[in-house]
Amino acid sequence: MVGVEFSVTHQEPPSLFVITKFRRASPTKVTPIAVYYILDGNAYEAPSVHSIVSTRALSSIKQVEKAFALARAHAEFHPATGYSWAESNEQKNARKAALKDIQLS
């Protein structure tokens, strides 16, 4: 028997069924092609590992880009002093108060 084969690989009736699509090259050689699941009567194709990893990596990269953009917005450069951070008065006062608390401890 050679060709495409579908098999129910997991079931929790009546709400969940997992169906795997296989390519059968010989009676003993089987390669999974796709996984589908039926949840409450609706059929879905399960995402591939590649698509999950690439989506999560892209999401992480976007967050890192946002962090760098925020840091870049607060950085200031002067030829005599080099780079420094722009702080509001509230941030300066909070930092100074925190340093005093650390020094008193």
Side-chain angles (χ1 to χ4, degrees):
M1 194 159 84
V2 177
V4 177
E5 175 181 304
F6 291 88
S7 174
V8 177
T9 53
H10 182 76
Q11 60 182 339
E12 293 179 18
S15 62
L16 176 66
F17 297 91
V18 178
I19 300 168
T20 306
K21 180 179 180 181
F22 295 102
R23 178 173 320 240
R24 184 173 287 282
S26 69
T28 58
K29 185 174 180 185
V30 178
T31 306
I33 299 172
V35 177
Y36 302 92
Y37 59 96
I38 299 173
L39 183 62
D40 294 327
N42 296 318
Y44 305 96
E45 183 174 3
S48 66
V49 173
H50 174 266
S51 67
I52 292 171
V53 171
S54 64
T55 301
R56 290 191 180 197
L58 181 62
S59 171
S60 299
I61 289 170
K62 289 289 183 189
Q63 295 302 321
V64 170
E65 284 179 350
K66 287 181 183 179
F68 276 118
L70 182 63
R72 189 175 38 246
H74 292 290
E76 294 180 344
F77 179 77
H78 188 274
T81 59
Y83 282 99
S84 63
W85 294 102
E87 287 184 312
S88 67
N89 288 335
E90 290 177 8
Q91 291 172 330
K92 285 181 185 178
N93 293 336
R95 183 174 45 84
K96 288 178 183 179
L99 286 174
K100 282 183 183 178
D101 290 342
I102 292 172
Q103 290 173 353
L104 294 176
S105 297

